[in-house]
Amino acid sequence: MAEKAPRINQRVLFTLLVGFAVFTIFVYTAGTDVEPGPIPISNIGRDGRLLYQKYNCTSCHQLYGLGGYIGPDLTNAAGKGEAYLKAFLQNGSAVMPNYNLPEHEIEAITAYLVYVNETGHFPEKMAQRTWYGSFKILGNTP
């Protein structure tokens, strides 16, 4: 005789589906209006983040180690001073072209990079760059 496959209780299935729907709604709505972490981003910094995305700065630069490799990592670039950042954004360099950004966009991108500088550091102090561009965490890791 062939055995019948066990039937899933309809109440259990219904409960799982409702739970999945509630969790999905929670994930996609709760907390999306608030920046994670203890440091809130200013409105001008928020505008700078949108400009950073609009001009596709990630194609050349990295933030927190993620992004392109043509330009330097900008995670802690604001540590050199806001004037330093503004000079590069206004004039470009031998490698970075001058995008002729208006002053308000330069201010916004600078505010965003100041925010990024305050929220983290890269590379990790206990990390070493590998020959293929990744980072290896040194010391004890869980």
Side-chain angles (χ1 to χ4, degrees):
M1 265 194 212
E3 289 186 36
K4 289 186 177 180
R7 287 185 47 177
I8 297 177
N9 188 337
Q10 290 179 347
R11 288 184 199 171
V12 172
L13 183 60
F14 179 75
T15 304
L16 289 173
L17 287 174
V18 169
F20 176 75
V22 169
F23 182 72
T24 302
I25 291 168
F26 173 76
V27 166
Y28 284 102
T29 59
T32 55
D33 296 333
V34 179
E35 284 296 318
I39 302 172
I41 189 169
S42 64
N43 287 337
I44 191 168
R46 214 174 254 114
D47 294 342
R49 178 175 49 197
L50 293 174
L51 290 168
Y52 190 89
Q53 293 168 350
K54 173 185 171 186
Y55 291 121
N56 198 18
C57 299
T58 306
S59 65
C60 297
H61 296 282
Q62 298 178 12
L63 289 179
Y64 309 110
L66 302 172
Y69 289 97
I70 296 172
D73 186 286
L74 298 178
T75 305
N76 300 116
K80 297 178 181 178
E82 290 183 36
Y84 177 81
L85 292 175
K86 289 178 184 178
F88 272 98
L89 291 170
Q90 287 173 341
N91 305 312
S93 69
V95 179
M96 182 175 142
N98 182 357
Y99 289 101
N100 298 313
L101 300 173
E103 187 63 33
H104 70 278
E105 289 186 354
I106 291 173
E107 292 290 330
I109 293 171
T110 301
Y112 175 58
L113 292 175
V114 167
Y115 167 76
V116 169
N117 184 56
E118 293 171 354
T119 59
H121 59 278
F122 188 81
E124 287 290 325
K125 293 180 187 280
M126 296 297 294
Q128 179 181 27
R129 188 183 292 266
T130 62
W131 64 271
Y132 48 87
S134 180
F135 283 88
K136 178 181 177 183
I137 305 296
L138 304 173
N140 295 335
T141 57

